[in-house]
């Protein structure tokens, strides 16, 4: 489902608050990344980003990346993955498919060749199960490069993979030797 244009700015603010900087809305996240919905809405208003409950429900429901989840009674909300702050969202370890994809900007390839795919400021490296999603991710930062990853071999070599509730594959790192260099697309 495509996100409504009117929800883009509040959605970005929610991403900032729930993934990177809860203090931007003067709230706290618990150890598992959950925020109290009423406190979040009040904090958004204090920050000049007024979001009502109906808008919040719509953003969670219609976000094309399924970035957020409510608890069962919708009193708490959290980001599903992508945090740069320490939270435990209860990821389940899972065997990956043989091939996963990482989207990046082509200008970062030399650094990635030297260091591998690293998590940067996030808790995990993000991988997708299809090249189209990886291309969209990479294009956010310039001309995209899609890096196919031999995830099956990584798993056999002892690397752990997790799958978030919104389908993003996560791991600690991807050493360059697991990138299928001859299949990189631009």
């Amino acid at each position: 489902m495509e996100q409504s244009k009117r929800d883009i700015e509040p959605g970005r603010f929610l991403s900032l608050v729930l993934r990177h900087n809860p203090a931007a809305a003067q709230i706290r996240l618990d150890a598992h990344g959950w925020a109290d919905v009423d406190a979040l809405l009040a904090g958004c208003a204090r920050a000049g980003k007024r979001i009502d409950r109906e808008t919040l429900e719509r953003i969670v429901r219609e976000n094309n990346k399924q970035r957020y989840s409510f608890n069962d009674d919708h009193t708490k909300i959290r980001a599903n993955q992508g945090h740069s702050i320490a939270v435990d969202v209860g990821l389940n370890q899972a065997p990956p498919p043989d091939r996963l994809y990482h989207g990046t900007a082509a200008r970062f390839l030399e650094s990635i060749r030297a260091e591998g795919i690293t998590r940067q400021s996030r808790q995990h490296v993000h991988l997708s199960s299809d090249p189209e999603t990886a291309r969209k991710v990479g294009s956010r930062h310039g001309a995209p490069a899609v890096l196919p990853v031999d995830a099956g071999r990584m798993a056999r070599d002892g690397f752990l993979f997790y799958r978030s509730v919104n389908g993003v594959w996560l791991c600690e790192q991807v050493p360059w030797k697991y990138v299928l260099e001859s299949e990189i697309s631009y």
Side-chain angles (χ1 to χ4, degrees), residues 102 117-119 124-127 169-174:
H102 181 73
I117 303 170
T118 61
R119 55 192 174 155
H124 297 95
V125 169
H126 293 198
L127 302 166
W169 285 93
L170 306 165
C171 65
E172 293 287 320
Q173 64 175 332
V174 178

Side-chain angles (χ1 to χ4, degrees), residues 104-112 138-145 186:
T104 189
R107 71 179 185 274
F108 298 139
L109 275 181
E110 287 308 310
S111 173
I112 293 171
S139 67
R140 294 186 318 208
H141 306 289
Y186 299 92

Side-chain angles (χ1 to χ4, degrees), residues 3 7-22 24 29 40 44 51 56 59 63 65 67-68 77-85 122 140:
Q3 187 177 16
D7 293 338
I8 291 174
E9 185 179 338
R12 286 183 179 155
F13 188 68
L14 288 173
S15 182
L16 170 72
V17 170
L18 297 175
R19 296 168 79 192
H20 309 295
N21 184 10
L29 305 181
L40 173 66
C44 289
I51 301 172
L56 183 64
I59 289 171
N63 182 268
K65 295 182 181 180
R67 269 202 177 119
Y68 316 104
I77 185 173
R78 74 175 174 190
N80 291 321
Q81 58 25 247
H83 297 85
S84 61
I85 54 177
R122 294 186 176 179
R140 294 186 318 208

Side-chain angles (χ1 to χ4, degrees), residues 92-98 100 151-152 155 159-163 169:
N92 293 316
Q93 187 179 331
D98 286 336
L100 291 170
F159 287 85
L160 301 179
F161 287 83
Y162 305 89
R163 190 153 189 218
W169 285 93

Side-chain angles (χ1 to χ4, degrees), residues 62-77:
E62 296 179 4
N63 182 268
N64 61 347
K65 295 182 181 180
Q66 295 298 292
R67 269 202 177 119
Y68 316 104
S69 294
F70 285 113
N71 66 347
D72 289 340
D73 64 2
H74 288 220
T75 59
K76 294 186 179 193
I77 185 173

